[in-house]
Amino acid sequence: MLRQQLLDTGRGRIVSLLQRAPLTVDDIASKLELSASGVRAQITAMERDGVVRRVGRRPGTTRPSRIFELTPEVEQLLSRAYIPLLTQLVDVFANGLPARQVDALLREAGRKLARELSSGRPSGTLRSRVMAASELLNEQLGAVTHVEQNGGYVIRGEGCPLSALTGKHPAVCRAMESLVKEFVGASVHECCERAQRPRCCFEIKSKALE
């Protein structure tokens, strides 16, 4: 529903067209019954924001027309296949393997994801590393988290980007726990809420706050 609401906006209608095929400004204007100048202004902003990119030119009667397509990053964001497929994969693991083995596999996946998403563990104090981990979750994984400090550090989320999985498979939270642990280089314990509206929570304990 929300996805459709987004695609019903002016920019969203352009995105919907470009999901089908690369197009020129004139192509888009004709299909949406808009002025070419209005579409051109939208495309310029979308190119600046990394939503579309130029992929070539088409010969015209007076001058060539630039052809635009969605960037790969936006194509991935629009895909609805990832969560259903991931859910089925975790179901297969959970139904076919001992719980301890599923937990170990997901923890290893979390560690590997941490290494893939970052160029290495950040340096600096524990506090700066925890702040960097929260930023990584937000920018790379679509979470909305902040850092709290109370005898240690807590990365607390306003929601959960993996909420479709965590209620049924708590081990998914431990994959994220391992990701945070790999990134900050300290002891981490997941304290996620999995009932009703799931929320991320990761406690990072320190004997002496840095």
Side-chain angles (χ1 to χ4, degrees):
M1 182 68 173
L2 177 59
R3 179 180 184 272
Q4 190 57 50
Q5 289 175 347
L6 292 172
L7 292 179
D8 283 343
T9 64
R11 182 178 286 201
R13 292 167 67 200
I14 294 174
V15 167
S16 293
L17 285 178
L18 292 177
Q19 279 186 285
R20 301 186 183 101
L23 298 169
T24 68
V25 166
D26 288 339
D27 291 335
I28 296 168
S30 175
K31 290 177 182 294
L32 296 181
E33 298 183 350
L34 299 172
S35 68
S37 60
V39 171
R40 189 171 292 107
Q42 287 271 33
I43 286 289
T44 298
M46 293 167 72
E47 186 176 20
R48 181 194 63 222
D49 295 341
V51 178
V52 302
R53 64 181 182 180
R54 305 178 194 190
V55 290
R57 292 173 179 267
R58 181 187 300 163
T61 54
T62 57
R63 60 180 181 178
S65 298
R66 293 189 179 98
I67 302 172
F68 295 90
E69 70 175 8
L70 297 178
T71 61
E73 293 80 8
V74 171
E75 290 274 18
Q76 291 173 19
L77 287 173
L78 291 172
S79 173
R80 290 178 287 185
Y82 292 103
I83 289 296
L85 179 58
L86 180 59
T87 300
Q88 293 304 317
L89 285 172
V90 175
D91 278 345
V92 169
F93 290 154
N95 292 331
L97 297 172
R100 182 176 297 180
Q101 191 172 351
V102 173
D103 191 84
L105 284 170
L106 289 173
R107 286 182 182 278
E108 178 60 21
R111 287 189 289 269
K112 293 185 72 172
L113 182 58
R115 294 192 287 268
E116 182 178 324
L117 294 178
S118 64
S119 55
R121 182 178 296 164
S123 57
T125 64
L126 176 59
R127 182 179 186 280
S128 67
R129 299 198 304 273
V130 172
M131 295 294 290
S134 178
E135 186 176 340
L136 178 80
L137 292 172
N138 295 343
E139 293 187 356
Q140 300 286 350
L141 299 179
V144 180
T145 66
H146 63 276
V147 176
E148 300 174 358
Q149 184 174 326
N150 182 18
Y153 297 101
V154 179
I155 298 176
R156 195 177 300 280
E158 301 302 324
C160 173
L162 293 170
S163 58
L165 285 165
T166 52
K168 187 177 180 181
H169 300 292
V172 172
C173 294
R174 288 181 299 268
M176 294 298 99
E177 174 190 277
S178 295
L179 180 151
V180 175
K181 181 178 180 180
E182 179 75 17
F183 195 72
V184 302
S187 178
V188 177
H189 171 68
E190 66 91 358
C191 48
C192 302
E193 299 176 24
R194 286 181 278 272
Q196 297 180 344
R197 186 188 176 204
R199 299 172 188 265
C200 298
C201 179
F202 304 101
E203 296 177 343
I204 301 97
K205 296 185 178 180
S206 174
K207 293 181 180 178
L209 290 182
E210 301 179 52

